Amino acid sequence: MSLFVTFEGPEGAGKSSVVRRLAAELTARGYAVVATREPGGTKIGEAIRQILLAPDHCGMLPQTEALLNTAARAQHVAEVIRPALAAGKIVLCDRYIDSTLAYQGAGRGLDQEELLQLQRFATGGLWPDLTVLLDVPVEIGQARRRASGEPLSRFDADALGFHERVRAGFLAAARSEPRRWRIIDATRGEEEVAQEALAVVLERLPPRPVRQ
Ligand code: TYD
């Protein structure tokens, strides 16, 4: 049985480590798992990611951000996500369409309906079965980012108000579509958050994986 799960949230919510832990736990239980991320996940997508995140690209228009993220997504869906789902795998994806709606829509102010049309064009209407929102207040997320020692991206330079709108965008999306979304409080320790995310994913899976 295939399952498409996406992970969303503001900066510093801990998505990438939760995805890594979850992939290991599910693989150990015998499920076939593909863990991937956006923007990126393909050769072309990772090249687009470099353009998007470069700190010196501070003049990038919101429209350019939306188009580049969505272009990387088109490549990702065709090369990685659809083939994995067709092979009956579980796809765990760090960010997807909802990031474009939250960052370029709620955050930068682009029209949601236009962004949705673009997503249909790029993905052929592929939506996740389950979206896990790792929610964390902006100040906590940003403090974690600074403490992590990871190289800072263009988005780290954005004002607090931008990141507050992004977080509010995610929460509004989650509340408007509760069957697809699960909100997890990501202010707790990584282990606890990963265990809750695992439980949420296991709820959607048959108890025993079908061996390929
Ligand atoms: P990344 O380092 O992966 O951030 P994080 O660790 O917080 O996930 O960088 C991805 C950045 O790109 C992040 O700031 C969110 C942004 N983004 C968009 O603005 N729109 C999108 O559609 C996607 C997928 C990401």
Side-chain angles (χ1 to χ4, degrees):
M1 185 198 132
S2 67
L3 189 74
F4 181 23
V5 188
T6 59
F7 296 82
E8 299 285 2
E11 321 289 305
K15 290 179 287 63
S16 51
S17 52
V18 166
V19 168
R20 213 177 314 116
R21 281 169 180 260
L22 225 57
E25 292 272 2
L26 291 168
T27 304
R29 285 169 160 77
Y31 294 97
V33 179
V34 170
T36 186
R37 70 165 178 185
E38 290 202 354
T42 65
K43 189 162 191 278
I44 294 169
E46 291 293 331
I48 294 174
R49 178 185 177 89
Q50 300 303 317
I51 301 173
L52 274 162
L53 300 188
D56 60 336
H57 287 174
C58 47
M60 192 179 289
L61 293 173
Q63 287 84 347
T64 310
E65 266 180 14
L67 289 166
L68 286 176
N69 274 300
T70 309
R73 181 164 305 130
Q75 208 65 36
H76 194 208
V77 166
E79 278 187 41
V80 178
I81 302 177
R82 282 196 191 273
L85 295 175
K89 297 182 180 168
I90 299 171
V91 175
L92 305 177
C93 188
D94 183 345
R95 297 197 184 281
Y96 188 62
I97 290 178
D98 297 294
S99 274
T100 304
L101 300 177
Y103 280 80
Q104 282 68 53
R108 304 272 192 235
L110 294 185
D111 183 75
Q112 293 277 339
E113 196 42 53
E114 286 179 352
L115 290 174
L116 279 170
Q117 275 173 22
L118 202 58
Q119 303 313 305
R120 278 192 285 275
F121 173 71
T123 69
L126 180 69
W127 283 89
D129 300 301
L130 168 68
T131 299
V132 178
L133 174 56
L134 298 182
D135 182 49
V136 74
V138 170
E139 291 84 353
I140 296 179
Q142 293 200 332
R144 282 183 185 168
R145 287 276 293 171
R146 283 193 296 273
S148 74
E150 276 176 44
L152 296 183
S153 82
R154 200 164 51 79
F155 288 88
D156 290 298
D158 275 301
L160 212 60
F162 168 76
H163 291 285
E164 295 284 7
R165 290 194 298 280
V166 170
R167 181 184 181 213
F170 279 131
L171 285 168
R175 287 178 186 136
S176 75
E177 221 187 321
R179 286 166 68 91
R180 174 164 70 90
W181 289 79
R182 289 292 290 268
I183 304 176
I184 292 184
D185 170 9
T187 58
R188 298 164 301 161
E190 205 177 285
E191 174 69 34
E192 220 179 317
V193 172
Q195 283 307 318
E196 190 177 339
L198 177 64
V200 164
V201 173
L202 287 174
E203 267 173 33
R204 308 282 178 125
L205 289 170
R208 250 175 291 142
V210 182
R211 298 266 168 203
Q212 302 289 313

